Amino acid sequence: MKKFMLFAGLIFVFMAAGSLAIGEEAPRHPGLTKIAEGIYSYLDEKNPAPSSSFGANAGIIIGKEGIVVVDTLISSKEAQRFINEIKAISDKPIRYVVNTHEHLDHSLGNSDFIRLGAVVVSHANCKKNAEAAASTILQKAKNYGLTDELLQGTKVATASLTFNNRMEIDLGDRKVELIYTGASHTDGSILVYVPDARVIFAGDILFTDVHPYMGDGEIKGWTNVLDNISAMDIVSIVPGHGPLSTKKDLQEMRQYLLTFERIGRELSAQGKDSNYIAAEIIKAAPKRQFFEVFVAGNVAALYPQAPKQ
Ligand SMILES: [Zn+2]
């Protein structure tokens, strides 16, 4: 029932926002965008439909020895579109795929990259969570409106290389640092940092202009990570969803989470229901363009004592 309500809510939001209704043809993807020498983001902030990976961002880092891909989108079709664009700008081998975390819109394209010889890397908890969800994740994608056709060829694949705290990938002329965040957006989330270009891929630690999905979230750890990124030497941040970002967006995200926590805790203690609490959070938190529908679900996940309507 809960899933159905979420699904129905998503359709409503897409139609109400004048955005894509599920099943409509997606507009042309803006494609790979150069953000630094040899670093491209794959942003799609204008199209948050489930079939377009909920507008999830991915990216690539090109070095002398090959390419590191950050996240693989929601389906084989999405991954193939991404792969074709990578091949159009570089003939170097895709050595590694890094999953910033296990959520379906960031990882269901893994197997298409493995077929090309890439090694999938993630945090150990990300792999553990992905394995636990492996038998149900394609059905979950269908519950969000992805058809069999959209999911054609999609096979669940988890990392073959994991780490716990930090890992470094050496591409010959540049290094890519993978940094565990601790429990935050998920308990297996990582940051992908390219120090020579001062660029960071934040995964879903950062949602810019999009209400975050917080169903697996831990707010204290999450705000700590945002503070840690703010203290780093960076000029560009690729968020998990939304446009290319800066440190100002980290502060807004932090404010959003703290507002969510303050109102959520206070009103759930008063016995208010999750829809009421969500409406109050939306009024008070920094404005977001997409995914209001997630807020009530986030409240229900983080404050299970709040009665559901
Ligand atoms: Zn996520």
Side-chain angles (χ1 to χ4, degrees), residues 30-36 39-43 85 244:
L32 282 167
T33 306
K34 187 171 181 178
I35 53 177
I39 304 181
Y40 295 76
S41 60
Y42 200 55
L43 299 170
E85 294 212 25
L244 189 63

Side-chain angles (χ1 to χ4, degrees), residues 26-283:
R28 204 180 123 52
H29 191 281
L32 282 167
T33 306
K34 187 171 181 178
I35 53 177
E37 198 50 49
I39 304 181
Y40 295 76
S41 60
Y42 200 55
L43 299 170
D44 197 8
E45 76 266 20
K46 298 279 183 273
N47 180 12
S51 60
S52 191
S53 307
F54 292 97
N57 297 323
I60 59 170
I61 302 146
I62 307 173
K64 195 164 116 234
E65 310 283 340
I67 299 173
V68 172
V69 168
V70 182
D71 285 345
T72 61
L73 305 172
I74 204 167
S75 63
S76 173
K77 279 205 158 95
E78 285 275 280
Q80 287 301 332
R81 181 163 59 85
F82 187 17
I83 288 166
N84 289 341
E85 294 212 25
I86 296 170
K87 289 189 166 165
I89 62 162
S90 175
D91 55 7
K92 295 200 171 166
I94 298 172
R95 297 250 184 245
Y96 295 96
V97 159
V98 177
N99 287 151
T100 59
H101 63 300
E102 70 275 11
H103 286 158
L104 78 180
D105 47 339
H106 297 262
S107 64
L108 275 181
N110 280 356
S111 70
D112 292 79
F113 289 90
I114 293 170
R115 267 207 300 279
L116 298 178
V119 172
V120 179
V121 186
S122 81
H123 187 266
N125 288 350
C126 171
K127 180 181 172 75
K128 190 181 71 190
N129 297 339
E131 283 180 343
S135 61
T136 54
I137 196 162
L138 288 173
Q139 185 54 48
K140 197 172 174 190
K142 288 179 190 174
N143 294 342
Y144 281 125
L146 274 85
T147 60
D148 284 330
E149 204 218 320
L150 286 168
L151 286 170
Q152 196 181 2
T154 307
K155 292 192 180 62
V156 178
T158 61
S160 54
L161 184 58
T162 64
F163 67 99
N164 283 310
N165 187 26
R166 272 175 181 260
M167 183 177 151
E168 190 177 88
I169 296 175
D170 190 343
L171 287 175
D173 57 343
R174 75 190 327 172
K175 292 188 165 73
V176 179
E177 293 179 14
L178 313 182
I179 305 164
Y180 181 46
T181 63
S184 50
H185 174 64
T186 66
D187 68 359
S189 292
I190 61 170
L191 308 168
V192 180
Y193 178 45
V194 191
D196 70 70
R198 300 161 74 206
V199 170
I200 197 163
F201 290 83
D204 281 358
I205 296 297
L206 180 61
F207 288 74
T208 297
D209 202 25
V210 179
H211 287 280
Y213 172 73
M214 297 168 66
D216 302 314
E218 207 282 293
I219 291 178
K220 183 83 187 89
W222 198 334
T223 55
N224 285 345
V225 183
L226 290 165
D227 288 342
N228 293 342
I229 305 173
S230 291
M232 290 172 76
D233 182 22
I234 45 174
V235 286
S236 295
I237 308 166
V238 181
H241 297 257
L244 189 63
S245 301
T246 63
K247 287 188 176 179
K248 178 177 106 9
D249 300 299
L250 296 172
Q251 290 311 313
E252 269 203 15
M253 183 73 197
R254 185 178 189 279
Q255 196 193 333
Y256 182 103
L257 293 174
L258 292 176
T259 305
F260 181 100
E261 187 185 41
R262 178 174 55 78
I263 293 176
R265 190 187 298 152
E266 187 182 313
L267 295 184
S268 62
Q270 291 173 19
K272 304 289 191 198
D273 70 71
S274 51
N275 286 336
Y276 178 90
I277 298 171
E280 293 300 308
I281 290 170
I282 290 165
K283 265 191 256 169

